[in-house]
């Protein structure tokens, strides 16, 4: 099995969830995942934000605010059932979506949004996600959505039953999502990450070092050690708009997350408008794997 940083578009087309997980593990902390909002106009109208993120070095593309009942990516002419498959052809990368395990009993820290079913991590939406051809599903929460850790655990069980070995299940919160008692340093602990893995998560998402208050290198390192001991991969996320900070800040966070043991490095979608500053995606990539692998990823044709 190739390392993900060596995989071509042709390699990705042949991968199931198990093979993708092995390729990520083999890369030893050199996998970049870029999140983009798919319901806003792209920053440059001739390409989608997903294509732009891929062009600046992302190995994996995560679509945020994607509604499985109304599949659409702004900037992409294809809509409906073939949306994800067409995007995968264009970017030559694995593509996943966020679905949100909303907890109706969450204790609110602030006013919450109402989400349509197509964005929620319910069984019907997870089935549709698989039918649409996503390579992975990320069970997490956007700001003010009322997603709790206990709801994530239950959604992981459902998602794993539906996807099996055909797709990766990622689980965890990168910020509080509007829930009292699950913000700052209280978002996640070792017991919580263990519960995600026990429920079936292939990858556990935790806030990146230096993102939400209390996410120190030492604390995140302990969380990742627990995740690895339980047999899962770890993803560190920048979901606090710091993807729009200076390159020096982003590069420093990248190195800290690598020191903590991250297998996948997530960079969020709020840097400009629905995407991180593309140059920050490149800077993050260079920080964790150098120019060699970054430039090859940026330059490689999807026809390879």
């Amino acid at each position: 099995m190739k390392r993900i940083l060596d995989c071509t578009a042709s390699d990705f087309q042949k991968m199931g969830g198990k093979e993708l997980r092995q390729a990520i593990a083999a890369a030893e902390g050199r996998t970049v995942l870029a999140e983009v909002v798919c319901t806003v106009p792209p920053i440059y109208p001739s390409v989608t934000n997903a294509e732009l993120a891929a062009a600046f070095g992302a190995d994996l593309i995560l679509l945020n605010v994607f509604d499985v009942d109304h599949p659409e990516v702004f900037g992409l002419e294809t809509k409906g059932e073939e949306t994800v498959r067409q995007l995968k052809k264009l970017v030559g990368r694995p593509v996943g979506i966020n679905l949100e395990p909303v907890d109706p009993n969450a204790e609110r820290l602030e006013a919450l949004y109402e989400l349509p079913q197509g964005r929620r991590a319910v069984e019907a939406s997870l089935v549709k996600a698989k039918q649409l051809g996503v390579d992975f599903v990320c069970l997490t929460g956007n700001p003010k959505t009322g997603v709790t850790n206990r709801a994530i655990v239950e959604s992981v069980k459902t998602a794993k039953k539906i996807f099996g070995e055909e797709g990766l299940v990622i689980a965890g919160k990168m910020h509080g999502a509007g829930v009292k008692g699950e913000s700052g340093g209280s978002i996640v602990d070792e017991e919580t990450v263990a519960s995600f893995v026990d429920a079936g998560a292939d990858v556990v998402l935790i806030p990146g070092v230096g993102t939400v208050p209390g996410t120190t290198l030492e604390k995140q390192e302990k969380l990742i050690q627990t995740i690895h001991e339980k047999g899962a991969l770890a993803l560190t996320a920048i979901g606090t708009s710091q993807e729009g900070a200076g390159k020096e800040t982003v590069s420093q966070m990248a190195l800290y997350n690598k020191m903590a043991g991250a297998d996948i490095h997530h960079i969020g979608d709020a840097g400009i408008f629905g995407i991180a500053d593309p140059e920050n995606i490149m800077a993050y990539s260079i920080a964790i794997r150098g120019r060699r692998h970054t430039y090859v990823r940026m330059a490689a044709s999807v026809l390879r």
Side-chain angles (χ1 to χ4, degrees):
M1 173 58 64
K2 290 183 177 181
R3 305 171 298 177
I4 195 167
L5 64 167
D6 297 324
C7 289
T8 65
S10 178
D11 295 323
F12 288 133
Q13 290 173 2
K14 303 169 187 175
M15 285 185 179
K18 183 178 180 180
E19 292 78 16
L20 180 57
R21 176 171 167 165
Q22 290 176 340
I24 293 168
E28 297 183 289
R30 291 180 287 180
T31 299
V32 178
L33 180 152
E35 183 176 11
V36 298
V37 178
C38 61
T39 56
V40 299
I43 60 173
Y44 296 111
S46 54
V47 292
T48 64
N49 281 342
E51 291 169 273
L52 194 59
F56 275 80
D59 303 294
L60 307 171
I61 301 296
L62 175 62
L63 303 179
N64 195 16
V65 201
F66 185 89
D67 188 327
V68 297
D69 292 327
H70 305 283
E72 183 176 9
V73 174
F74 276 39
L76 186 67
E77 292 186 5
T78 302
K79 295 178 175 62
E81 297 296 315
E82 293 301 310
T83 298
V84 173
R85 294 184 179 88
Q86 179 62 22
L87 185 65
K88 286 165 62 174
K89 290 179 182 178
L90 293 175
V91 299
R93 311 281 197 278
V95 172
I97 64 171
N98 284 331
L99 288 176
E100 310 197 44
V102 176
D103 187 343
N105 299 314
E107 189 174 359
R108 302 182 178 194
L109 185 63
E110 56 188 332
L112 302 179
Y113 299 130
E114 289 289 332
L115 298 185
Q117 177 171 294
R119 284 185 51 197
R120 297 173 63 160
V122 296
E123 184 171 2
S125 296
L126 287 160
V127 169
K128 285 187 178 179
K130 183 179 179 181
Q131 292 171 345
L132 288 169
V134 304
D135 297 295
F136 56 95
V137 61
C138 183
L139 306 175
T140 191
N142 274 292
K144 302 182 180 181
T145 53
V147 170
T148 64
N149 288 325
R150 62 175 175 264
I152 291 175
V153 169
E154 295 307 312
S155 295
V156 169
K157 295 175 184 177
T158 303
K160 199 59 185 175
K161 179 178 65 176
I162 292 167
F163 280 88
E165 297 294 336
E166 296 180 48
L168 290 183
V169 175
I170 303 172
K173 294 170 66 172
M174 59 188 78
H175 47 65
V179 176
K180 187 175 182 180
E182 292 188 4
S183 61
S186 300
I187 289 175
V188 66
D189 55 26
E190 291 176 49
E191 182 179 354
T192 300
V193 298
S195 71
F196 293 159
V197 182
D198 289 340
D202 299 289
V203 181
V204 175
L205 181 158
I206 63 172
V209 177
T211 56
V212 299
T215 52
T216 64
L217 174 58
E218 182 181 13
K219 182 176 180 181
Q220 304 315 91
E221 184 179 17
K222 288 179 180 178
L223 291 175
I224 291 174
Q225 286 175 348
T226 299
I227 294 165
H228 286 164
E229 287 170 2
K230 297 287 289 184
L233 300 178
L235 179 154
T236 53
I238 303 177
T240 47
S241 301
Q242 288 164 288
E243 56 269 34
K247 295 178 189 175
E248 298 81 4
T249 300
V250 170
S251 297
Q252 184 179 36
M253 295 171 80
L255 289 175
Y256 277 131
N257 287 325
K258 189 165 185 179
M259 283 190 280
D263 301 290
I264 303 173
H265 298 259
H266 163 287
I267 185 166
D269 56 34
I272 303 178
F273 188 54
I275 183 175
D277 181 336
E279 292 186 16
N280 279 352
I281 299 174
M282 183 174 69
Y284 201 123
S285 177
I286 290 173
I288 64 168
R289 60 189 178 187
R291 286 182 170 82
R292 173 191 173 190
H293 293 295
T294 298
Y295 288 2
V296 168
R297 174 60 79 211
M298 292 170 66
S301 169
V302 295
L303 298 179
R304 287 185 177 272

